[in-house]
Amino acid sequence: MEILMWIVFAVLMGSILVVALSVVIVASRENRVYSAEARTWQRLAQSGIPTQAEVESLKRSEHELSRGGSQGQTVYACELALKVFDGEGGSRPAVVRTLIDEGLVPQFAVAGTRVHLLRDPGNAAVLAVDRTRTPLEIPRATA
């Protein structure tokens, strides 16, 4: 009877470890996807072409990913469906996945909100939110 209990315990613990490992893998992968936009912005801050877009919709990440932001607040992984203006009177759809301060999420959830972007000069499909003109985090108050 004791061996049977140990076998059941081992199976349960093994199952828990597999579930925990899969949660860590999914969270890490999702964090990488939503953090990539910030690295793109850093790269485009010097050479990117300024453009504007209009928010069509905002969706939170499938797994409700959130983490601490650079100001100590909580940021949420969000997918912005945008209508990007080309400067010649036309527009095209685009999706930008990024991390947004919880206090700013409602602002981006309003369809029609204007967003400033930087576009890669070599690839118009590569976009990043221009944080100098459209902040994604609320800065801390300084004394």
Side-chain angles (χ1 to χ4, degrees):
M1 185 66 175
E2 189 175 325
I3 289 189
L4 182 60
M5 285 178 43
W6 280 108
I7 291 172
V8 169
F9 176 75
V11 168
L12 285 174
M13 290 308 292
S15 299
I16 290 170
L17 287 173
V18 167
V19 168
L21 183 61
S22 60
V23 166
V24 167
I25 290 170
V26 167
S28 296
R29 184 176 304 140
E30 195 166 7
N31 185 47
R32 221 174 302 123
V33 167
Y34 288 91
S35 297
E37 186 271 341
R39 290 188 298 279
T40 301
W41 171 71
Q42 289 174 339
R43 182 175 57 83
L44 294 177
Q46 303 302 315
S47 63
I49 298 169
T51 189
Q52 289 190 27
E54 201 171 84
V55 174
E56 293 184 326
S57 67
L58 175 140
K59 289 190 284 186
R60 287 229 185 124
S61 73
E62 179 182 350
H63 300 102
E64 291 290 323
L65 176 70
S66 66
R67 66 179 180 130
S70 65
Q71 306 291 322
Q73 78 287 32
T74 301
V75 292
Y76 289 98
C78 297
E79 180 179 289
L80 295 169
L82 303 170
K83 179 170 39 170
V84 179
F85 303 110
D86 62 12
E88 299 171 5
S91 66
R92 65 178 181 79
V95 172
V96 173
R97 291 175 182 87
T98 190
L99 297 163
I100 302 174
D101 190 308
E102 68 181 321
L104 295 175
V105 169
Q107 171 185 321
F108 286 94
V110 177
T113 298
R114 287 288 177 134
V115 177
H116 295 89
L117 302 172
L118 292 173
R119 178 175 57 83
D120 188 313
N123 183 353
V126 177
L127 300 166
V129 176
D130 184 354
R131 286 152 172 78
T132 59
R133 300 187 66 202
T134 302
L136 296 178
E137 293 186 10
I138 300 172
R140 284 188 177 173
T142 56

